[in-house]
């Protein structure tokens, strides 16, 4: 029996020695840095995943900023898009600001860019029937435009144009290095596009969108640079002021806990970045992707530059109006010439 136990000890000792010997060379041929985490992270699989994450240097910085000088509603919940009330026919300033960092878009320095301002429907349902909606508005308001530029008040805009076939669009050139303000007037109200059933209908929201382009090699302003938009409602004269006051009074009656769920009212409205307006939304059924303006189709004006007298660029926020809201939507190049 003792002999058997001794043999078991010998066998166990030999197995342990062989196992230790089999592990003794592991890792030696790989060198001291074989298990360096930096080497592991350098593998292609990790490089590929890392490249998909934006770095601080790659954070998107918009080249321009557009500020509508009208207060936002205090009755908008946190994380929702701001809503701004405008008065029908009242002139509102939009400040066109150069937001480029040093070295950004050097090809634009010392040159003009073109901006297109349009008022469009916010609701997708109305966007699909834009042509019919605008045609109906045109028949009810012959000779009127949905959107106009207030030329005498505007500062720094060059060659402003309006197209008779695009009642909700204006465009102009401007120099980002100079102070520029475009004063716009919206002539439709939100309730004009609401089916009237029993009165007191809620007006539809609109959007103000600005698309900015630079010149291409052929001298045409077709290279997209930046787009931004904001949500608005348009009321009859003084209606926007009353609506703003009503919203403010409602918020004052809420508890502190309820108020925390809502955004504060800001004195101005900053347009947020968005996708450029699709060409086919305002282009006729022709190969051309932009409206062709002829001397008989548009009006051209000369506007004072930033050195001339004009309303203070840093002035008070323009008061908002009232009334029932109404506006329009996508461009309707298809309006019969």
């Amino acid at each position: 029996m003792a002999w058997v136990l001794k043999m078991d000890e010998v066998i166990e000792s030999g197995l342990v020695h062989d196992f230790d010997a089999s592990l003794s060379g592991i890792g030696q041929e790989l060198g001291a840095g074989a298990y360096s985490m930096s080497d592991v992270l350098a593998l292609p699989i990790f490089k590929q995943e890392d490249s998909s994450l934006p770095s601080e240097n790659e954070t998107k910085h918009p080249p321009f900023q557009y500020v509508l000088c009208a207060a936002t509603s205090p009755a908008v919940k946190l994380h929702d898009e701001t809503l701004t009330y405008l008065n029908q026919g009242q002139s509102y300033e939009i400040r066109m600001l150069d937001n480029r960092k040093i070295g950004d878009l050097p090809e634009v320095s010392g040159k003009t860019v073109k901006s297109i301002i349009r008022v469009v429907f916010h609701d997708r349902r109305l966007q699909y029937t834009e042509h019919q909606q605008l045609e109906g508005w045109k028949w009810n308001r012959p000779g009127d435009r949905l959107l106009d530029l207030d030329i005498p008040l505007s500062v720094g805009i060059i060659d402003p144009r309006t197209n008779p076939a695009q009642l909700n669009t204006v465009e102009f050139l401007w120099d980002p290095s100079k102070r520029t303000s475009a004063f716009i007037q919206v002539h439709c109200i939100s309730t004009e596009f609401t089916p009237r059933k029993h009165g007191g209908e809620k007006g539809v929201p609109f959007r103000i969108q600005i698309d900015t382009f630079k010149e291409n090699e052929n001298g045409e302003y077709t290279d997209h640079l930046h787009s931004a938009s904001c949500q608005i409602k348009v009321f009859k004269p003084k209606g926007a002021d009353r609506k703003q006051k009503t919203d403010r009074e409602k918020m004052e009656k809420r508890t502190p806990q309820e108020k925390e769920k809502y955004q504060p009212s800001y004195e101005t409205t900053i347009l947020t970045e968005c996708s450029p307006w699709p060409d086919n939304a305002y282009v006729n059924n022709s190969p051309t992707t932009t409206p062709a303006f002829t001397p008989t189709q548009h009006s051209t004006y000369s506007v004072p530059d930033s050195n001339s007298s004009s309303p203070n660029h840093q002035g008070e926020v323009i008061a908002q109006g009232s009334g029932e809201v109404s506006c329009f939507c996508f461009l309707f190049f298809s309006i019969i010439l």
Side-chain angles (χ1 to χ4, degrees), residues 116-124 126-128 130 134 166 168-169 206-213 222 224 226-229 274-283 289-291 328-333:
I116 300 175
I117 303 178
R118 52 175 57 89
V119 176
V120 299
F121 288 121
H122 174 76
D123 294 340
R124 189 62 59 90
L126 291 173
Q127 292 175 4
Y128 290 139
E130 173 194 328
L134 296 182
Q166 298 174 358
N168 59 331
T169 304
F206 300 100
R207 302 196 67 79
I208 292 177
Q209 174 153 338
I210 302 179
D211 300 291
T212 298
F213 304 84
T222 57
H224 178 259
H226 182 244
S227 294
S229 65
C274 64
S275 301
W277 195 255
D279 285 346
N280 57 9
Y282 59 87
V283 180
T289 57
T290 55
F328 45 92
C329 100
F330 293 98
L331 291 166
F332 48 91
F333 53 94

Side-chain angles (χ1 to χ4, degrees), residues 87-88 90 235-243 319-323:
N87 288 317
Q88 178 189 27
Q90 181 172 327
F235 295 80
K236 293 179 180 178
K238 301 300 180 181
D241 301 315
R242 290 193 293 269
K243 177 61 174 172
Q320 286 148 311
S322 76

Side-chain angles (χ1 to χ4, degrees), residues 114-275:
K114 181 175 80 170
S115 287
I116 300 175
I117 303 178
R118 52 175 57 89
V119 176
V120 299
F121 288 121
H122 174 76
D123 294 340
R124 189 62 59 90
R125 173 182 60 84
L126 291 173
Q127 292 175 4
Y128 290 139
T129 61
E130 173 194 328
H131 175 67
Q132 293 88 334
Q133 298 287 341
L134 296 182
E135 276 289 289
W137 190 90
K138 179 182 177 182
W139 281 107
N140 292 327
R141 304 273 295 274
D144 288 350
R145 290 185 55 82
L146 291 164
L147 180 66
D148 266 326
L149 270 175
D150 191 333
I151 303 298
L153 290 180
S154 297
V155 179
I157 65 175
I158 305 167
D159 193 22
R161 299 185 177 193
T162 58
N163 190 324
Q166 298 174 358
L167 303 183
N168 59 331
T169 304
V170 296
E171 66 177 58
F172 54 86
L173 306 179
W174 59 288
D175 185 344
S177 65
K178 298 182 179 180
R179 182 164 62 90
T180 303
S181 287
F183 280 76
I184 64 167
Q185 299 171 339
V186 181
H187 297 293
C188 60
I189 58 174
S190 297
T191 51
E192 288 183 282
F193 300 97
T194 302
R196 284 168 173 73
K197 297 179 181 178
H198 49 73
E201 289 81 11
K202 186 178 180 181
V204 302
F206 300 100
R207 302 196 67 79
I208 292 177
Q209 174 153 338
I210 302 179
D211 300 291
T212 298
F213 304 84
K214 66 178 180 178
E215 280 186 294
N216 61 15
E217 296 177 352
N218 299 322
E220 300 173 342
Y221 291 91
T222 57
D223 290 350
H224 178 259
L225 290 174
H226 182 244
S227 294
S229 65
C230 67
Q231 184 181 193
I232 64 169
K233 281 191 174 183
V234 184
F235 295 80
K236 293 179 180 178
K238 301 300 180 181
D241 301 315
R242 290 193 293 269
K243 177 61 174 172
Q244 187 80 356
K245 180 180 179 182
T246 299
D247 285 358
R248 186 168 58 250
E249 292 174 346
K250 287 182 179 179
M251 292 305 301
E252 290 173 353
K253 295 178 181 179
R254 296 183 181 274
T255 64
Q257 291 77 13
E258 291 176 327
K259 290 180 180 178
E260 292 178 355
K261 300 177 182 179
Y262 291 83
Q263 303 179 21
S265 176
Y266 300 99
E267 292 186 351
T268 59
T269 304
I270 298 178
L271 279 65
T272 56
E273 288 193 281
C274 64
S275 301

Side-chain angles (χ1 to χ4, degrees), residues 300-317:
T300 303
Y301 306 87
S302 295
V303 181
D305 60 21
S306 57
N307 296 323
S308 61
S309 60
S310 65
N312 191 333
H313 191 66
Q314 302 296 331
E316 295 297 325
V317 175

